[in-house]
Amino acid sequence: MAATAETFESTSPADGETIGVFPRMGVDEVDRAVATAKEAFASWRLVPAPKRGEILYRFAHILEQEKAALTDLMTHEMGKVRAEAGGDVQEAIDITYYMAGEGRRLFGQTTPSELPDKWNMSIRTPVGVVGAITPWNFPIAIPSWKLIPALVCGNTVVLKPATDTPALATRFVELLHEAGMPDGVVNIVHGGGSDVGDRMVRHPDIRVITLTGSRETGVKVLAAGADTLKHVHLELGGKNAIIVMNDADLDLAVDGIVWSAFGTSGQRCTAASRVIAHEKVYDTLQTRLVERVEKLRLGPGWEDDTEIGPVINRAALEKIDSYTKIGSDEGARLLTGGEIATEGDLARGHFYRPTIFADVEPGMRIAQEEIFGPTTALIKVRDLDEAISVSNGIKFGLSSSIFTRDVNAAFRAMRDLEAGITYVNAGTIGAEVHLPFGGTKDTGNGHREAGQAALDVFTEWKSIYVDYSGKLQRAQIDD
Ligand code: UN1
């Protein structure tokens, strides 16, 4: 329990219901958790990787059995709609199966030596204690992207989940223990970034910090981690665009835009918060989007006919609403939405109407800054070159997309869009777990999670030379 004996409540963004009460921890609890993780590392790193993988296979299986319950809890605690909450849990199942298999791979390299009777190879070794700081928007998937590869590689973990979704994170850790994770290997601490998070980032015994959060937090974490030369893996913001060319399948493009801009109420790093449309399809696209979006049903995520859930909390709602004012003040034209939804039971939660701005100039704040809500900005362009340059004209570089039937345009976009992810004829969301996930420019600092790339975050390379000649052989000198 927290030495401070303070607590905080987790409440549902849909109706204010209390989900649970959690200890608000402090520096002492972080220090204890790190000490426990450090002690557990001594034995966990020596558990054969295939055996670590077996525990993870069991965890994946448990997640499958618990999928319905976790999905339901997520609709209440985080607010996303049932289908998407199920997808969040499924993403955790997928990465766990994928990474459990790494227990029998974790490939290194063997290479010839330049000297006779000498053996050269490289192996991956665990780094030590990993500090994972996770957001609320993918409350099961993102902890799993971080913890599961860290664990299969032989690291131990201290997890600080977002204070908006502590119940889901607590359940996640309980289930890892149910799967047979030894005591001390996975530890959870609850609390805010300025005390608990800050202590983790500065703690000398945490070797890796992996953070998914805002650009602002990322910069602070990187600076604070510098003194102890931490490995800092950052997954930060996005201002992702969908390009719609004049030859696009417009039905498909509309589906892709609605899904990518308003799914999860726009609260994905990968959300499409800009739509860059060729002038020949711009007007039609406007009309068709407004028609579709005005039919979307807002409500609690657990009700089957809900299409748009709430946003996470009051502060988020106010931030999103402030961007509507910013957009209007900048001279963009509000096509639909732009207000807090308060009719009936919606007044009990944090609901924002799906919002579309037209006549947006690429340099406007609503086209540059991450809003993290159900707001998207339509920008008109003349050709592919302009579309690509507008898409690239932001500080972030996470996801990108183009709808076109022209294979040449598609390949140029694949080459020239400055982003970690590019979709062709699909929206900006929906990354799968076996490819690298992450972005260029201010979206991160060069790392990727998921896929094989995640292993580079959670391991150190060791190069090993075995000389079996029985004599001194000097590299670069002797033949
Ligand atoms: C995020 O928003 O931080 O590609 C993650 C997607 C999801 C993951 C999003 N699979 O949209």
Side-chain angles (χ1 to χ4, degrees):
M1 264 312 269
T4 51
E6 279 178 33
T7 58
F8 68 102
E9 259 191 24
S10 169
T11 56
S12 173
D15 64 1
E17 152 209 22
T18 300
I19 307 291
V21 177
F22 297 86
R24 184 176 291 286
M25 297 183 176
V27 167
D28 292 349
E29 286 85 1
V30 173
D31 289 355
R32 265 206 295 280
V34 175
T36 306
K38 189 180 176 188
E39 197 188 321
F41 178 65
S43 47
W44 181 243
R45 75 181 185 92
L46 298 179
V47 173
K51 297 283 175 215
R52 297 196 295 252
E54 279 168 26
I55 297 175
L56 296 177
Y57 277 123
R58 278 201 293 281
F59 178 59
H61 187 60
I62 291 174
L63 279 179
E64 284 175 328
Q65 289 169 331
E66 293 291 316
K67 182 173 172 181
L70 286 167
T71 299
D72 191 61
L73 178 58
M74 199 181 302
T75 63
H76 284 84
E77 187 176 48
M78 181 275 166
K80 63 176 77 174
V81 300
R82 193 179 294 284
E84 291 184 33
D88 191 314
V89 179
Q90 188 59 45
E91 206 159 337
I93 294 168
D94 295 346
I95 191 101
T96 306
Y97 276 125
Y98 179 87
M99 285 295 167
E102 275 311 312
R104 288 191 182 271
R105 287 187 294 267
L106 283 179
F107 294 139
Q109 292 150 353
T110 58
T111 71
S113 169
E114 61 193 45
L115 290 162
D117 299 328
K118 193 176 168 195
W119 178 268
N120 291 0
M121 62 186 169
S122 63
I123 59 168
R124 290 186 182 276
T125 59
V127 194
V129 179
V130 170
I133 302 177
T134 57
W136 46 263
N137 69 330
F138 277 80
I140 294 291
I142 292 182
S144 74
W145 288 2
K146 299 186 185 304
L147 268 62
I148 305 302
L151 292 168
V152 81
C153 291
N155 304 283
T156 56
V157 178
V158 176
L159 167 67
K160 188 199 96 58
T163 48
D164 287 298
T165 49
L168 285 158
T170 301
R171 192 70 191 123
F172 180 79
V173 170
E174 276 169 13
L175 295 178
L176 272 167
H177 286 120
E178 226 171 84
M181 201 53 73
D183 284 349
V185 172
V186 176
N187 306 275
I188 186 166
V189 289
H190 294 289
S194 58
D195 41 15
V196 170
D198 187 69
R199 178 62 182 160
M200 285 171 67
V201 173
R202 294 175 196 279
H203 201 297
D205 289 334
I206 290 187
R207 294 305 311 146
V208 181
I209 286 283
T210 169
L211 163 84
T212 297
S214 67
R215 180 189 183 283
E216 198 190 11
T217 307
V219 169
K220 278 191 204 153
V221 165
L222 196 55
D227 278 346
T228 47
L229 288 171
K230 274 189 187 39
H231 301 195
V232 179
H233 160 250
L234 302 174
E235 188 51 56
L236 310 175
K239 189 69 192 175
N240 318 290
I242 292 178
I243 296 175
V244 185
M245 293 304 295
N246 51 338
D247 62 357
D249 174 339
L250 278 196
D251 290 334
L252 187 61
V254 168
D255 283 348
I257 294 165
V258 172
W259 172 230
S260 301
F262 304 115
T264 329
S265 303
Q267 301 170 109
R268 295 195 190 209
C269 309
T270 49
S273 52
R274 298 181 299 155
V275 176
I276 301 169
H278 190 281
E279 57 190 7
K280 292 222 172 79
V281 294
Y282 181 83
D283 290 340
T284 322
L285 202 57
Q286 269 187 52
T287 321
R288 307 234 343 233
L289 281 174
V290 170
E291 230 169 65
R292 272 285 292 281
V293 164
E294 289 186 344
K295 290 200 191 103
L296 293 174
R297 192 186 166 278
L298 274 64
W302 60 85
E303 283 180 6
D304 284 335
D305 55 350
T306 296
E307 291 165 295
I308 305 281
V311 300
I312 191 68
N313 54 35
R314 185 78 210 171
L317 192 67
E318 279 164 13
K319 177 180 170 194
I320 294 161
D321 197 39
S322 77
Y323 271 99
T324 295
K325 183 163 184 324
I326 291 168
S328 302
D329 289 351
E330 284 178 308
R333 188 159 49 87
L334 183 64
L335 292 183
T336 185
E339 57 182 10
I340 296 171
T342 51
E343 73 267 19
D345 283 348
L346 296 183
R348 298 165 62 199
H350 311 300
F351 290 90
Y352 205 76
R353 282 201 194 293
T355 301
I356 306 179
F357 275 105
D359 301 346
V360 176
E361 293 299 327
M364 288 180 179
R365 286 184 62 193
I366 54 164
Q368 291 287 328
E369 296 172 18
E370 188 173 43
I371 301 172
F372 224 66
T375 301
T376 200
L378 301 190
I379 302 170
K380 193 196 287 189
V381 292
R382 282 180 310 277
D383 55 24
L384 181 64
D385 283 341
E386 191 183 353
I388 290 177
S389 116
V390 169
S391 183
N392 289 344
I394 45 157
K395 59 179 182 236
F396 298 112
L398 183 51
S399 189
S400 57
S401 143
I402 183 166
F403 283 84
T404 180
R405 288 175 166 123
D406 176 350
V407 70
N408 298 350
F411 269 84
R412 283 197 39 217
M414 283 152 59
R415 184 191 62 194
D416 294 339
L417 287 171
E418 294 167 356
I421 306 170
T422 294
Y423 291 90
V424 177
N425 292 329
T428 51
I429 68 177
E432 301 176 30
V433 301
H434 43 283
L435 286 182
F437 181 91
T440 60
K441 303 197 281 189
D442 284 13
T443 294
N445 56 344
H447 301 279
R448 294 291 184 274
E449 47 197 349
Q452 289 292 296
L455 303 178
D456 291 332
V457 173
F458 298 111
T459 56
E460 300 256 35
W461 282 111
K462 176 180 273 190
S463 299
I464 300 175
Y465 302 92
V466 183
D467 190 321
Y468 55 97
S469 71
K471 57 179 192 249
L472 175 69
Q473 299 198 89
R474 298 171 301 172
Q476 293 92 36
I477 295 172
D478 295 331
D479 287 332

